[in-house]
């Protein structure tokens, strides 16, 4: 609606403004999904992020717990409780840093929301091959 420069007098014009290219499509689902450009990238990013975070941190905890607390106790003279807390914090930090791998999906989501025409007709793997890596990993510093 913000980009429309004309006066809207009919429901057809309103449909053209709201649904853009999908306004002639008879499918209500297609019209609805046209309202959310970048939804596929956003859903993929969030699902993979949650699986990675909530699935990866317990695995990393299991790997670090036998090794790190004894090392921390002997080196820093910390209590068992503190050593365990530091181990969980280390696992969480490492998982957070590893999330950088998922940034291209977030960048593509933002590009799809701002300029859907630039990504039209190209699939995920084609976009990953064509887009420069520097562009796809914008914001990596903020994530880490």
């Amino acid at each position: 609606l913000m980009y429309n420069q004309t006066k809207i007098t009919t429901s057809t014009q309103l449909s053209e403004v709201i649904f853009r290219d999908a306004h002639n499509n008879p499918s209500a689902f297609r019209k609805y999904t046209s309202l959310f450009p970048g939804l596929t990238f956003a859903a993929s990013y969030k699902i993979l992020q949650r699986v990675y975070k909530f699935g990866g941190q317990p695995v990393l905890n299991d790997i670090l717990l036998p090794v790190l607390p004894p090392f921390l106790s002997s080196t820093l003279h910390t209590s068992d409780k503190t050593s365990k807390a530091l181990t969980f914090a280390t696992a969480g930090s490492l998982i957070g840093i590893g999330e950088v791998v998922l940034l291209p999906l977030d960048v593509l989501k933002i590009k799809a929301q701002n300029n859907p025409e630039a990504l039209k007709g190209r699939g995920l793997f084609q976009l990953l091959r064509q887009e420069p890596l520097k562009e796809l990993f914008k914001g990596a510093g903020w994530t880490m």
Side-chain angles (χ1 to χ4, degrees):
L1 293 175
M2 295 185 305
Y3 298 109
N4 182 44
Q5 300 294 318
T6 61
K7 185 175 182 180
I8 299 172
T9 56
T10 66
S11 62
T12 304
Q13 288 175 324
L14 181 63
S15 177
E16 288 174 8
V17 170
I18 293 174
F19 300 113
R20 297 187 201 158
D21 295 337
H23 78 278
N24 283 331
N25 197 315
S27 167
F29 179 74
R30 174 67 182 114
K31 285 183 180 180
Y32 178 73
T33 57
S34 74
L35 297 174
F36 306 100
L39 181 64
T40 306
F41 295 123
S44 301
Y45 172 70
K46 281 298 172 192
I47 290 168
L48 287 172
Q49 181 189 41
R50 296 300 188 244
V51 167
Y52 174 72
K53 256 186 183 174
F54 298 121
Q57 190 167 351
V59 171
L60 200 51
N61 281 334
D62 290 345
I63 293 169
L64 292 176
L65 276 172
V67 180
L68 201 54
F71 171 76
L72 292 172
S73 294
S74 65
T75 315
L76 300 177
H77 306 293
T78 59
S79 67
D80 288 342
K81 186 177 179 180
T82 303
S83 296
K84 196 171 182 181
L86 287 171
T87 302
F88 288 144
T90 302
S93 298
L94 291 172
I95 289 295
I97 291 168
E99 246 184 84
V100 169
V101 173
L102 299 174
L103 278 181
L105 289 173
D106 200 31
V107 170
L108 290 173
K109 172 199 72 163
I110 293 166
K111 286 183 178 197
Q113 290 171 337
N114 290 324
N115 188 6
E117 297 302 316
L119 304 180
K120 198 170 208 153
R122 298 192 295 171
L124 174 64
F125 294 109
Q126 188 178 13
L127 286 167
L128 292 174
R129 278 194 308 270
Q130 292 173 348
E131 295 287 325
L133 279 179
K134 183 179 178 184
E135 291 292 315
L136 291 175
F137 284 97
K138 273 188 175 177
W142 290 104
T143 300
M144 296 191 348

